[in-house]
Amino acid sequence: MTKSSAGGLPHPGVKPATRFVTGGSDPSSFHGFVNPPVVHASTVLYRNVDDYLGRRGRYTYGRRGTPTSEAFTAALAEIEGPQCAGVTLLPSGLAAGSLALQSALNSGDHVLVTDNVYGPTRKFCDTVLARCGVTTTYFDPLIGDVATLMQPNTRAIYLESPGSLTFEVQDVPAMAAAAHARGAVVLMDNTWASPLYFHALDKGVDLAIQSGSKYIGGHSDLMLGVVAANAKCWPRLNETVFTMGLCVGPDDMYLGLRGLRTMAVRLAHHNQAGLKVARWFAERAEVARVLHPALGTCPGHAVWKRDFTGASGLFSIVLKPVPETAVHAFIDALTLFGIGASWGGFESLVIPFDCDNVRSATTWSPGGPGVRFHIGLEDVDDLIADLERGFAALAAAR
Ligand SMILES: *Cc1c(COP(=O)(O)O)cnc(C)c1O
């Protein structure tokens, strides 16, 4: 499931959005068809014993790569940019984070992890990594300088900027410089911004992780993970994923590649619509704070402005204190927002949240209930009208 070369880009110098359309595309390989075939494969046959013993042939076994996986990983590598030495596919975003950590760490190592990290990744560190003899220290995402937290055996630092519930934006270049100065590698969950809006590998990240279940898929119909590595980290990442036998089914790879082709235009809409709704929330009397990286009320906003080229459609608000029943009435009254985990599809979503079980280095006590929104591709005025109905229900319930 790997593609080890992003060198010699066929369309040098094109803008990022163009790479989502052209990346890895080679219709001449597929009789002129725009898209690659979906190759369902395990066995690859050889012409004779000699070829078999020499493993001669472009493809050797389904798990080791197919025309479908190559087309997809080549596209992803081009999108990540010239620093990318290889991309590996995993069955979920969680697996992408876990395997990237596994590839960067040995028994006896120490890892620094941002306290706003995706909850199940925290669980991986506290259980599986701990059993492998790796210790984890969580740190305040807004700390700025991680140098003082580095121990002699700190071999990796794991960032998630912004956090996907509370949206703290981290100073990735500064943290990466501190990590690199002490020989540690930098991993980052880049699902929120994607390489369209944050060029992780250019900002000092060695292993850039995405949940492909979100914007890459874009239609809430697949589970997928992606790790892009620079030349320093690619061999170990490739070895780790390969020896664990991890691979992705051809239909899901195809859906991922299909999603990529429209991802830049979808993100442009999520960006604009999300900002419009976030600004609307900021004017509402019921709202104490809007946690959207493009707004000044979001922790790390100045860093976002410096380092990011856009925002996706996911952000949170903090309501002024109201009883829990009023929060539920607000959410239950919404007709265009589904209540459910995940995000990045075409549809708008909403969930209530707190951080009671997912923080250890910091406490998150914003002074009111947290509600997270994903702004989908519906007409944004319809969404705002729906939210107005929600606030009417909230007022009636308090
Ligand atoms: C959803 C998500 C993941 C996990 O991805 P799955 O594909 O659901 O396993 C990891 N990180 C972030 C920031 C996410 O939002």
Side-chain angles (χ1 to χ4, degrees), residues 362-382:
T362 56
T363 43
W364 198 72
S365 46
V371 184
R372 188 182 79 175
F373 291 90
H374 178 250
I375 304 304
L377 303 180
E378 306 87 348
D379 189 300
V380 67
D381 293 331
D382 286 339

Side-chain angles (χ1 to χ4, degrees), residues 258-280:
R258 188 187 218 264
L260 269 190
R261 299 309 185 198
T262 58
M263 184 167 157
V265 282
R266 284 186 284 109
L267 272 172
H269 183 95
H270 290 296
N271 184 1
Q272 282 180 10
L275 258 176
K276 184 164 178 183
V277 176
R279 291 196 175 116
W280 179 83

